[in-house]
Amino acid sequence: MAWKILGFEKSPFTKTDISSLLGILPKFMTNNLDSVSFHQGNLPVNQYSLKGIDHARVRSLFLPGREKHKIIFANPTHESEHERFFYVARFLPGFLRVTSLAGLTAADQESKTRLSNLVSQALLVRPADRSTEAWRQALANRFCAQGYQIERAHALCGEAEHGLTDLDPDLDISGCAADLAAWHQEVIKRLARATARNMINSRVEDKHARANWYRLLTSDELNEYEKPYEDFKQLRDLLATGDPHRVAALNSLALALRNL
Amino acid sequence: MNQECLIILSPDLSPLGELNLDGETCSQINLNQEGEELLGPHIAQWQTHGLDRPTLNSIRTDEGLGHAVCHDQVKLNSEDFASALRVWLDDHGYLHLTLPLGAMAAFCEIQKMEIDQQKKFELAVMLRDLPIHKLV
């Protein structure tokens, strides 16, 4: 199976990010991955072969040519940096879900729909910590939200766990879910920082003023009298932690820069 | 028309707001302060551009048959919006519960109880599963 991802051009993603993502997906998903292609529209930009050990988990990526590649998501047109960031931040979790569904092997065809739903839920739930108990409770809450009664939701958690471990006995489900959540958070953090920096550089010409902006957004040593610290509290949280629920905070920077 | 409320909850199960639904069509969105901070800009985006719904499609290129992750936009007043929103909330770590309109008074009472958020959530799930005549 060749994967193709269509979208926009610029990205801070690296080989390590893709290795990390593929490394934590269970091997029944990566077994049939032959290559990952990145396109702009229908034109190939780069193609990467995946080298593993037969059907074992992918161990490395072979990336011919450049060190950095371009991840592309769905070809949007955006007028501003923060809108592009906003789009990627919204798109990324759904991308992980649909690509995890596509990763199931043909051997699972009979129970594919049911298992695919369980898999995507199980891997994309956001546990409070890496413990199996936290993962199970988070997954049960999701099943409840989707209409299952509480007892049935907990039974489904057991099915998800057995189904996944039958396919991959070495799979640490709660660890995978925690790793995916952490990876997502790291991506958001780096994207947000890069976007904030580009936004400031494009609107603020004086280098001392730029430095002051960066300090306002990232320094731990601001005193209580420094304004507009309170206005940017959520944005500072976003840049420090990559909390995906704070992605909208970048709008406050766009507004402030527009009013300069 | 079946009138319901789609309640949106944060990852730690605190309510952020609700959507009033007529069938699957959204008639009104109400957010509290935390909900406005977290979801307000997203909703503003959806009002102008629609809600992005990623889909996996088979495509054929010069290299052969493959899969492409594409997206479409679901308008706020579309019959698909509520289901698309539920998927978006799932993908982004939020939770949601759809309750009959008649259950909202009881839901508000549950929120006032001195118990942890997990227990409030489970009570709300049980409330959802009660037969409608028991809520009158």
Side-chain angles (χ1 to χ4, degrees), chain A residues 19 22-23 27 30 33 50-53 56-61:
Chain A
S19 294
L22 293 178
K27 60 188 177 202
T30 57
L33 289 180
L50 307 179
K51 290 188 176 178
I53 305 172
R57 189 171 299 196
V58 170
R59 301 290 177 191
S60 65
L61 282 180

Side-chain angles (χ1 to χ4, degrees), chain B residues 52-101:
Chain B
D52 287 323
R53 180 171 56 186
T55 55
L56 196 67
N57 298 319
S58 294
I59 64 167
R60 186 174 292 280
T61 68
D62 294 341
E63 296 166 348
L65 192 65
H67 289 84
V69 182
C70 304
H71 72 293
D72 52 26
Q73 273 89 26
V74 181
K75 297 293 182 194
L76 213 66
N77 57 4
S78 153
E79 282 183 0
D80 291 339
F81 179 76
S83 58
L85 175 62
R86 289 185 183 100
V87 171
W88 188 93
L89 292 170
D90 282 342
D91 284 347
H92 289 78
Y94 294 97
L95 284 128
H96 52 88
L97 268 182
T98 303
L99 297 180
L101 203 59

Side-chain angles (χ1 to χ4, degrees), chain A residues 1-6 37 39 42 44 47 74 76 86-87 89-91 93-95 97-99 101-102 121 124 126 137 141-142 144-150 154 234 245-248 251, chain B residues 11 13 37-38 41-42 45-46 49 52-56 59 61-71 73 87-88 90-98 118 121-123 125-126 128-129:
Chain A
M1 177 193 298
W3 289 63
K4 298 184 190 298
I5 306 168
L6 307 176
S37 301
H39 284 60
N42 280 324
Q47 182 160 347
F86 208 35
Y87 173 80
R90 293 199 315 272
F91 190 76
F95 161 70
R97 176 177 53 78
V98 295
T99 51
L101 294 181
Q121 297 292 336
L124 295 178
R126 294 174 185 276
Q137 185 62 74
N141 286 346
R142 288 186 71 148
C144 285
Q146 287 163 19
Y148 292 100
Q149 294 185 343
I150 294 171
H154 283 282
Q234 281 212 47
H245 303 103
R246 302 276 174 210
V247 295
N251 287 337
Chain B
L13 303 178
E37 284 174 2
L38 296 178
H42 294 288
Q45 186 87 9
W46 298 337
H49 299 291
D52 287 323
R53 180 171 56 186
T55 55
L56 196 67
I59 64 167
T61 68
D62 294 341
E63 296 166 348
L65 192 65
H67 289 84
V69 182
C70 304
H71 72 293
Q73 273 89 26
V87 171
W88 188 93
D90 282 342
D91 284 347
H92 289 78
Y94 294 97
L95 284 128
H96 52 88
L97 268 182
T98 303
Q118 179 64 40
F121 177 73
E122 289 175 1
L123 279 175
V125 170
M126 287 189 253
R128 178 199 66 197
D129 296 334

Side-chain angles (χ1 to χ4, degrees), chain A residues 4-97:
Chain A
K4 298 184 190 298
I5 306 168
L6 307 176
F8 73 95
E9 185 174 338
K10 289 185 181 180
S11 167
F13 284 83
T14 66
K15 175 174 77 172
T16 307
D17 297 318
I18 294 295
S19 294
S20 301
L21 173 62
L22 293 178
I24 59 177
L25 288 176
K27 60 188 177 202
F28 70 85
M29 286 186 175
T30 57
N31 274 355
N32 286 346
L33 289 180
D34 298 318
S35 64
V36 180
S37 301
F38 297 93
H39 284 60
Q40 189 168 5
N42 280 324
L43 299 175
V45 172
N46 279 310
Q47 182 160 347
Y48 309 102
S49 301
L50 307 179
K51 290 188 176 178
I53 305 172
D54 292 323
H55 297 291
R57 189 171 299 196
V58 170
R59 301 290 177 191
S60 65
L61 282 180
F62 172 64
L63 300 173
R66 310 167 207 182
E67 275 301 309
K68 291 196 174 183
H69 53 264
K70 298 174 182 179
I71 277 202
I72 331 175
F73 297 94
N75 206 24
T77 52
H78 295 296
E79 294 180 359
S80 62
E81 286 271 358
H82 82 279
E83 284 184 355
R84 186 186 297 126
F85 161 76
F86 208 35
Y87 173 80
V88 174
R90 293 199 315 272
F91 190 76
L92 194 58
F95 161 70
L96 289 178
R97 176 177 53 78

